[in-house]
Amino acid sequence: DYSSINIKSDYHTEPAQYIHVFPQKITEGEQNNFFAEELNPEFKDKVFVVFDLETTGTDPVNDRIIEVCGVKLINGEICESFHTLVDPQMPIPVQASEVNHITDDMVAGQFTVEEILGDFYKFTRGTILVAQNAPFDMGFLRVNGNKYKYDFDNSFADTLVMARRLLN
């Protein structure tokens, strides 16, 4: 029985407080309920973080994260947002800048992924992560999480798959 072996003992626990990036509260007056009239019963009592990463390329091992953003939804309402540019500590390839419109000047002097990852980990703990083409973003999160000892083991949903099902 290998269930008693803790292979994640050297991973960080959720930080007690935010260090570099502080989520912004969203007030009720700034939005409507994301799920319109009635909350889908499947979503009741679940917390989602809809997020997106921008990167220097498509390889989570060799490319770097240059932007992290997300919104937290509780009972269908956005309650917090998280956003930061990230210094990749390397030049951003021209092809990446053409796609995400993020330049070297924009990320110069920003925190590194190592510095902000704990804050995003805290923001996402206990939530279901949602992203467009989620395996791409989750790949970058998990590779960086493993490197800096944060276990992004959240359940996740892929809006690309959902859209393809709905649009047949």
Coordinates of all heavy atoms in Angstrom, one line a residue, residues 26-37 73-79:
I26 N -13.9 43.0 -6.1 CA -14.9 43.5 -7.1 C -16.2 43.7 -6.3 O -16.7 42.9 -5.6 CB -15.1 42.4 -8.2 CG1 -13.8 41.9 -8.9 CG2 -16.1 42.9 -9.2 CD1 -13.1 43.0 -9.7
T27 N -16.7 44.9 -6.5 CA -17.9 45.3 -5.8 C -19.1 44.9 -6.6 O -19.1 44.8 -7.8 CB -18.0 46.8 -5.5 OG1 -18.0 47.5 -6.7 CG2 -16.8 47.2 -4.7
E28 N -20.2 44.7 -5.9 CA -21.5 44.3 -6.5 C -21.9 45.2 -7.6 O -22.4 44.8 -8.6 CB -22.6 44.2 -5.4 CG -23.8 43.6 -5.9 CD -24.8 43.4 -4.8 OE1 -24.4 43.0 -3.7 OE2 -26.0 43.7 -5.0
G29 N -21.6 46.5 -7.5 CA -22.1 47.5 -8.5 C -21.3 47.4 -9.8 O -21.7 48.0 -10.7
E30 N -20.2 46.7 -9.8 CA -19.4 46.6 -11.0 C -19.7 45.5 -12.0 O -19.1 45.4 -13.0 CB -17.9 46.5 -10.6 CG -17.4 47.7 -9.9 CD -15.9 47.4 -9.4 OE1 -15.6 46.3 -9.0 OE2 -15.2 48.4 -9.4
Q31 N -20.7 44.7 -11.6 CA -21.0 43.5 -12.5 C -22.4 43.0 -12.3 O -23.1 43.4 -11.4 CB -20.0 42.4 -12.1 CG -20.3 41.9 -10.7 CD -19.7 40.5 -10.5 OE1 -19.6 39.7 -11.4 NE2 -19.3 40.3 -9.2
N32 N -22.8 42.2 -13.2 CA -24.0 41.4 -13.1 C -23.6 40.0 -12.8 O -22.5 39.6 -13.0 CB -24.8 41.4 -14.4 CG -25.4 42.8 -14.7 OD1 -25.8 43.5 -13.8 ND2 -25.4 43.2 -16.0
N33 N -24.5 39.2 -12.3 CA -24.2 37.8 -12.0 C -23.8 37.1 -13.3 O -24.5 37.3 -14.3 CB -25.4 37.1 -11.4 CG -25.1 35.7 -10.9 OD1 -24.6 34.9 -11.7 ND2 -25.3 35.5 -9.7
F34 N -22.7 36.4 -13.3 CA -22.1 35.8 -14.5 C -23.1 34.8 -15.1 O -23.0 34.5 -16.2 CB -20.8 35.1 -14.0 CG -20.0 34.5 -15.2 CD1 -19.4 35.4 -16.1 CD2 -19.9 33.2 -15.4 CE1 -18.7 34.9 -17.2 CE2 -19.2 32.6 -16.4 CZ -18.6 33.5 -17.3
F35 N -23.9 34.2 -14.2 CA -24.8 33.1 -14.7 C -26.3 33.7 -14.9 O -27.2 32.9 -14.9 CB -24.8 31.9 -13.7 CG -23.5 31.3 -13.7 CD1 -22.7 31.5 -12.5 CD2 -23.0 30.5 -14.7 CE1 -21.4 30.9 -12.5 CE2 -21.7 30.0 -14.6 CZ -21.0 30.1 -13.5
A36 N -26.4 34.9 -15.1 CA -27.7 35.6 -15.4 C -28.7 35.4 -14.3 O -28.4 35.7 -13.2 CB -28.1 35.2 -16.8
E37 N -29.9 34.9 -14.7 CA -31.0 34.8 -13.8 C -30.8 33.8 -12.7 O -31.1 34.0 -11.5 CB -32.3 34.4 -14.6 CG -32.6 35.4 -15.7 CD -32.9 36.8 -15.2 OE1 -33.6 36.9 -14.2 OE2 -32.4 37.7 -15.8
L73 N -14.8 33.4 -8.9 CA -16.2 33.4 -8.9 C -16.8 32.6 -7.8 O -16.4 31.4 -7.7 CB -16.8 32.9 -10.2 CG -16.7 33.7 -11.5 CD1 -15.3 33.5 -12.1 CD2 -17.8 33.4 -12.4
I74 N -17.6 33.2 -7.0 CA -18.3 32.5 -5.9 C -19.8 32.7 -6.2 O -20.3 33.8 -6.3 CB -17.9 33.0 -4.5 CG1 -16.4 32.8 -4.3 CG2 -18.7 32.4 -3.4 CD1 -15.9 33.4 -3.0
N75 N -20.5 31.6 -6.2 CA -22.0 31.7 -6.5 C -22.3 32.5 -7.8 O -23.2 33.2 -7.9 CB -22.8 32.2 -5.3 CG -22.8 31.2 -4.2 OD1 -22.8 30.0 -4.4 ND2 -22.7 31.7 -3.0
G76 N -21.4 32.3 -8.8 CA -21.6 32.9 -10.1 C -21.2 34.4 -10.2 O -21.4 35.0 -11.2
E77 N -20.7 35.0 -9.1 CA -20.4 36.4 -9.1 C -18.9 36.5 -9.0 O -18.2 35.9 -8.1 CB -21.1 37.2 -8.0 CG -22.6 37.3 -8.3 CD -23.2 38.2 -7.4 OE1 -22.5 39.0 -6.7 OE2 -24.5 38.2 -7.3
I78 N -18.3 37.4 -9.8 CA -16.9 37.7 -9.7 C -16.6 38.5 -8.4 O -17.2 39.5 -8.2 CB -16.4 38.5 -10.9 CG1 -16.6 37.7 -12.2 CG2 -14.9 38.8 -10.7 CD1 -16.3 38.4 -13.4
C79 N -15.8 37.9 -7.5 CA -15.6 38.6 -6.2 C -14.1 39.2 -6.1 O -13.9 40.2 -5.4 CB -15.8 37.7 -5.1 SG -14.8 36.3 -5.0

